[in-house]
Amino acid sequence: MRKALAIAGVQLKLILRSRSSFIWLLLVPIIFTSIVGLVFGSAGYSAPADIPVALTDLDRGTMGMAAVHALEQEPGFQILEVSEQEGAQRLREGTVAALVVIPPGFTAALREGRPAEVHLTRSADASSGILAEQVVKEAMARAAGVVRAAALTADQLARWRPLAPEAREEVWNDAVRRAQEQMSTTPGVEAQVTILAKQQPDEQLPDTRTQTSSGFGAMFVMAGVLGAATALVSERLRGTRSRILATPTSIPSLLAGHLMAMMALGIVQFAIFVVWGQLVLHVDWGSNPPAVTALTVAYVFGATGIGILVGSVCTTLAQASAIATFVSYTTSMIAGCWWPVEIMPQFLQVAARAFPQYWAVKGFNTVIVRGLGFQDILPSLLALTATGAASLALGCAVYARRSRA
């Protein structure tokens, strides 16, 4: 292990001390990604003056109207009272950020002192959908203050004179109307939230900046790892491999050193892409860090396995460079790095599954766009790990056979 670490350190120094490596591994990819993301993705990030929220009041009671009034008082939001079916349709079309449904019996439950809730379904949008959810919760908290004030008024009045059920209901309704002007912030009415993205099909498309950040990140990391893999060919042509193996260094140690160097390079490179995408392109990479980390490691492992295979099979640097370029860029177009794979013809969508970039981008979009977690990215993790393991095993076998020849 110590020899493998030493070899990895040497390989990383050779890569990082070159100015051209910095340009082609980081500078050019970041500039290219930023230009495409900012130019073609700017339209999707201009926030409207008012965030539209669809609202359906199925209760039509005093507290239902009070809840509607509380939401209408929120600045920066446009409340659209529509039917539940129309609200769901608008949410699917993306013309509203959330759908709020006040169910039947809402007022009766609160008047009788029973728990009540409103139902909120929001889009997966990282800004307006989440903001709408928070605002609804705050509005319902203020509505809960109205309920408490009305209940207290009715109870106090009942102490002075008996109230028939009809009279108590009238007093309660009148207290609600009066208390609307003095809403407190006492919490009590909870908003039951459903994330719409979990109900949407796998074909939910990412916006331009998310597609650019995840897709180009996968493409350029593949290019960087395969570029580093050409060191295996260079060692053989220069006789460096023979001299290393003449020392007490085994073939597994030599390959392990190259593997660790390529893995470290790919992980650091992709981490920089993630940070850049979060800060500059405003892609929500931080929604599920463990899932993003697992996908990154699995993808880099898959790319490294392919790199070991390419470096072991190729006999010349020109051959290795040509294959690395083809795998990095041409297959990335088919795999959905440049554009969503869902917009391509059906036969290309099937062909895209043969490439690790497809599984990486699919996994990242599952986390970022659809807001899902480990269970839903498991197919991507398994595909990337299997690709890396199979390529690595085959590459090591070829490398060992040629080294002993």
Side-chain angles (χ1 to χ4, degrees):
M1 178 60 70
R2 185 176 300 175
K3 292 181 180 180
L5 289 173
I7 293 172
V10 171
Q11 291 300 320
L12 289 174
K13 288 179 182 178
L14 291 174
I15 294 172
L16 298 178
R17 77 181 182 181
S18 171
R19 182 176 300 177
S20 62
S21 296
F22 169 76
I23 293 175
W24 290 106
L25 290 177
L26 289 180
L27 190 60
V28 170
I30 284 178
I31 292 176
F32 188 77
T33 302
S34 299
I35 291 175
V36 175
L38 293 173
V39 171
F40 294 99
S42 59
Y45 281 82
S46 55
D50 292 317
I51 297 176
V53 174
L55 185 143
T56 302
D57 182 8
L58 300 178
D59 177 66
R60 311 308 297 179
T62 305
M63 273 310 302
M65 291 186 288
V68 172
H69 177 76
L71 289 172
E72 289 176 340
Q73 299 307 306
E74 290 293 336
F77 284 83
Q78 180 186 8
I79 304 301
L80 307 173
E81 291 197 53
V82 296
S83 67
E84 188 173 4
Q85 293 76 12
E86 182 181 350
Q89 179 64 29
R90 291 194 182 194
L91 187 59
R92 285 192 294 270
E93 294 172 352
T95 58
V96 295
L99 168 63
V100 180
V101 178
I102 302 174
F106 181 75
T107 298
L110 292 174
R111 185 170 56 242
E112 296 167 6
R114 293 185 284 111
E117 61 184 19
V118 298
H119 304 282
L120 183 145
T121 305
R122 67 171 174 84
S123 68
D125 184 85
S127 55
S128 61
I130 296 176
L131 182 58
E133 174 186 339
Q134 185 62 36
V135 166
V136 169
K137 288 181 178 181
E138 293 175 357
M140 292 306 101
R142 289 196 298 276
V146 174
V147 173
R148 286 172 170 79
L152 180 62
T153 300
D155 289 343
Q156 292 296 325
L157 187 58
R159 291 183 179 181
W160 291 96
R161 59 185 177 87
L163 293 175
E166 296 79 5
R168 181 180 177 84
E169 180 178 343
E170 183 179 349
V171 169
W172 191 89
N173 289 337
D174 183 66
V176 166
R177 287 189 289 268
R178 293 175 180 274
Q180 284 186 38
E181 300 177 357
Q182 302 293 331
M183 287 184 178
S184 70
T185 57
T186 306
V189 181
E190 297 183 354
Q192 183 185 42
V193 179
T194 301
I195 307 300
L196 182 63
K198 292 185 179 181
Q199 304 171 350
Q200 292 182 343
D202 292 339
E203 288 75 16
Q204 185 181 0
L205 300 182
D207 58 65
T208 302
R209 297 192 184 190
T210 301
Q211 174 67 36
T212 301
S213 183
S214 61
F216 285 1
M219 179 180 69
F220 284 118
V221 166
M222 177 68 77
V225 170
L226 294 187
T230 59
L232 293 171
V233 181
S234 180
E235 283 182 351
R236 183 171 64 251
L237 295 177
R238 296 177 181 177
T240 306
R241 183 181 68 183
S242 300
R243 292 193 295 272
I244 293 175
L245 294 179
T247 67
T249 303
S250 64
I251 293 176
S253 295
L254 180 57
L255 283 175
H258 282 284
L259 176 70
M260 287 188 287
M262 286 187 280
M263 284 284 295
L265 177 67
I267 290 173
V268 171
Q269 188 181 11
F270 203 91
I272 294 174
F273 268 102
V274 168
V275 173
W276 187 265
Q278 181 81 34
L279 297 179
V280 178
L281 300 180
H282 306 293
V283 176
D284 190 19
W285 279 103
S287 59
N288 193 332
V292 171
T293 301
L295 277 169
T296 300
V297 173
Y299 175 63
V300 173
F301 175 68
T304 301
I306 295 174
I308 295 291
L309 178 60
V310 170
S312 301
V313 171
C314 295
T315 56
T316 65
L317 284 174
Q319 187 182 48
S321 298
I323 293 178
T325 300
F326 175 80
V327 173
S328 300
Y329 300 108
T330 306
T331 63
S332 291
M333 294 182 183
I334 302 175
C337 291
W338 286 67
W339 39 71
V341 71
E342 291 83 4
I343 70 174
M344 299 192 302
Q346 186 62 37
F347 77 95
L348 285 180
Q349 294 186 35
V350 175
R353 298 172 181 267
F355 307 113
Q357 299 98 308
Y358 166 85
W359 295 104
V361 174
K362 178 180 176 65
F364 288 129
N365 287 342
T366 298
V367 175
I368 300 172
V369 179
R370 303 181 67 217
L372 305 182
F374 271 99
Q375 182 178 354
D376 302 278
I377 64 171
L378 188 59
S380 292
L381 293 174
L382 293 176
L384 293 171
T385 304
T387 299
S391 301
L392 183 60
L394 183 58
C396 289
V398 173
Y399 188 90
R401 182 170 59 83
R402 291 189 173 183
S403 298
R404 296 189 182 101

